[in-house]
Amino acid sequence: MARRTLTDELEYVPPQDERPPHRDRERPARRAPKVKAAPEGRRRRINLVYWAIPFAGLVALAAAMMAFHRVEAFLINDTRFVLQGPVDIRQESANFQVAGLRRVKREEIVRIFENDFGRSLYLFPVAERRRRLLALDWIRNATVSRRWPNQVFVQVREREPMAFVQFDRPGGVPYFRLIDEQGVLLPVPTGERFDLVVLTGIKATETESQRAARVRIASLMLRELGPLAARISEIDVRDAADLRVSMKLEGMPVTAQVGDRNFRPRLENFFAHFASMHEKRPEAAAFDLRVDDRITAIEDLVRSEAKGGVQRVQQ
């Protein structure tokens, strides 16, 4: 066999089946693609656009602000938008109109707006004027609207009293206020007469929400009674779950406990049988009506409870 020389060994190429798999061979590192730089002129155009956009925005904002101030100055200074006050505060005015007044005097309303007369309607503070209207005693709700170019319209809704409230003075005579269903105390208008029931058991130091809870149950009773409510002169609301009514029957003052429900049937039954009860028991002046179809004299109830039992008189 012939010898292989060194040159033969260097040029030796292994057969195909002796070559290593393709995946085992090292792959040459790839070079990152070269980024072609933009021409100098194009870079300048991009920079100009980049700075021109915010500059244009600032110019537009400045122009809008200038236009706004010019319009605002026009609305403030032009005489066509000036709110003219009434010549006489007691009379209606074409530029300043008020509707819904019954007990609130027009002069009180006009005084709230007197600083707005002679000024532009653009400067008119709607929310503040409504807040001051609601601070008046008799105003329950109010709307204030501007009507361009130079008019203001005010619509008020006054509170409706549902009863008198009696407050006691220490060592003195009691005094009275009016009260509505929301528990708001109202002054008694001079020269006006009210045919209303008197509520007792309410303290002047209580909050509106505390008063309202008991006033509401008394109002519910009066609505349920309808025409029969005219026979009641006083309602004790000290305990909202146990109302007590006072009235004058057969020429004498009478008190009845009516609870917190079924007011009409209980009092109808009481009125229907009081004459016969008074004939039998003329001294009885206080009754318990809290059990339906039962009328119990309080004196009998006290005596029977003292003896350990309850005796009811059914009429």
Side-chain angles (χ1 to χ4, degrees):
M1 184 174 70
R3 292 182 179 177
R4 287 188 289 182
T5 64
L6 180 60
T7 306
D8 295 333
E9 290 181 0
L10 292 176
E11 294 178 355
Y12 173 73
V13 178
Q16 184 68 28
D17 55 352
E18 294 182 12
R19 293 180 183 179
H22 178 69
R23 63 178 178 270
D24 295 335
R25 287 182 293 176
E26 292 185 2
R27 296 178 181 178
R30 294 183 179 180
R31 294 182 179 180
K34 294 183 178 180
V35 178
K36 188 176 181 180
E40 185 67 22
R42 185 178 178 186
R43 286 204 302 270
R44 289 180 179 177
R45 287 196 298 270
I46 292 174
N47 290 337
L48 288 175
V49 172
Y50 177 79
W51 289 106
I53 292 175
F55 179 76
L58 291 175
V59 171
L61 179 62
M65 292 180 63
M66 291 180 62
F68 171 77
H69 286 300
R70 296 183 71 176
V71 172
E72 186 178 48
F74 171 71
L75 293 174
I76 293 174
N77 299 319
D78 196 285
T79 57
R80 287 174 291 182
F81 305 111
V82 174
L83 176 63
Q84 299 295 337
V87 178
D88 188 342
I89 63 175
R90 296 168 297 180
Q91 298 178 357
E92 289 290 338
S93 169
N95 298 87
F96 182 76
Q97 302 178 32
V98 183
L101 296 181
R102 293 177 56 196
R103 298 183 178 94
V104 179
K105 295 182 179 179
R106 179 180 169 80
E107 297 91 302
E108 294 183 73
I109 304 295
V110 175
R111 289 192 190 99
I112 292 176
F113 296 87
E114 60 185 358
N115 291 333
D116 302 308
F117 300 139
R119 301 176 65 202
S120 172
L121 196 66
Y122 177 76
L123 301 174
F124 182 75
V126 176
E128 172 62 18
R129 295 300 175 256
R130 181 177 182 273
R131 185 191 65 79
R132 291 187 59 186
L133 285 172
L134 294 177
L136 296 178
D137 289 331
W138 283 91
I139 302 297
R140 179 173 181 175
N141 199 2
T143 57
V144 181
S145 57
R146 290 183 289 192
R147 296 183 177 181
W148 294 92
N150 57 358
Q151 291 182 328
V152 168
F153 181 77
V154 180
Q155 176 73 48
V156 300
R157 180 186 176 191
E158 294 188 358
R159 298 185 179 276
E160 193 62 38
M162 59 81 55
F164 285 101
V165 181
Q166 177 180 317
F167 295 115
D168 296 325
R169 288 192 180 97
V173 296
Y175 66 97
F176 295 88
R177 292 287 185 272
L178 291 167
I179 194 168
D180 71 350
E181 290 191 10
Q182 294 181 317
V184 178
L185 296 175
L186 304 166
V188 180
T190 304
E192 186 173 357
R193 298 180 62 86
F194 296 89
D195 187 15
L196 300 173
V197 69
V198 176
L199 300 185
T200 60
I202 294 180
K203 298 179 181 179
T205 56
E206 292 176 331
T207 63
E208 287 184 9
S209 59
Q210 290 173 327
R211 294 191 295 263
R214 287 176 287 162
V215 172
R216 214 171 283 125
I217 188 67
S219 178
L220 175 64
M221 184 188 73
L222 294 174
R223 286 197 299 268
E224 183 179 329
L225 291 177
L228 293 177
R231 307 182 72 173
I232 297 175
S233 59
E234 185 177 299
I235 305 175
D236 187 343
V237 295
R238 187 175 288 103
D239 184 357
D242 184 17
L243 299 185
R244 303 188 181 201
V245 298
S246 300
M247 62 208 90
K248 198 168 187 179
L249 300 175
E250 300 294 332
M252 64 177 294
V254 176
T255 302
Q257 292 179 250
V258 295
D260 61 351
R261 63 178 66 87
N262 299 335
F263 303 114
R264 187 180 182 92
R266 290 175 181 179
L267 283 168
E268 282 181 336
N269 182 54
F270 177 67
F271 293 147
H273 295 93
F274 180 77
S276 59
M277 289 188 302
H278 181 64
E279 185 177 351
K280 296 175 184 178
R281 298 283 303 279
E283 76 283 358
F287 301 88
D288 188 349
L289 314 181
R290 291 174 293 178
V291 177
D292 294 333
D293 300 325
R294 296 280 180 174
I295 302 173
T296 305
I298 299 296
E299 291 84 354
D300 294 339
L301 183 60
V302 172
R303 293 193 196 100
S304 61
E305 288 177 347
K307 294 178 181 179
V310 177
Q311 178 182 1
R312 297 193 179 276
V313 180
Q314 182 176 9
Q315 300 292 338

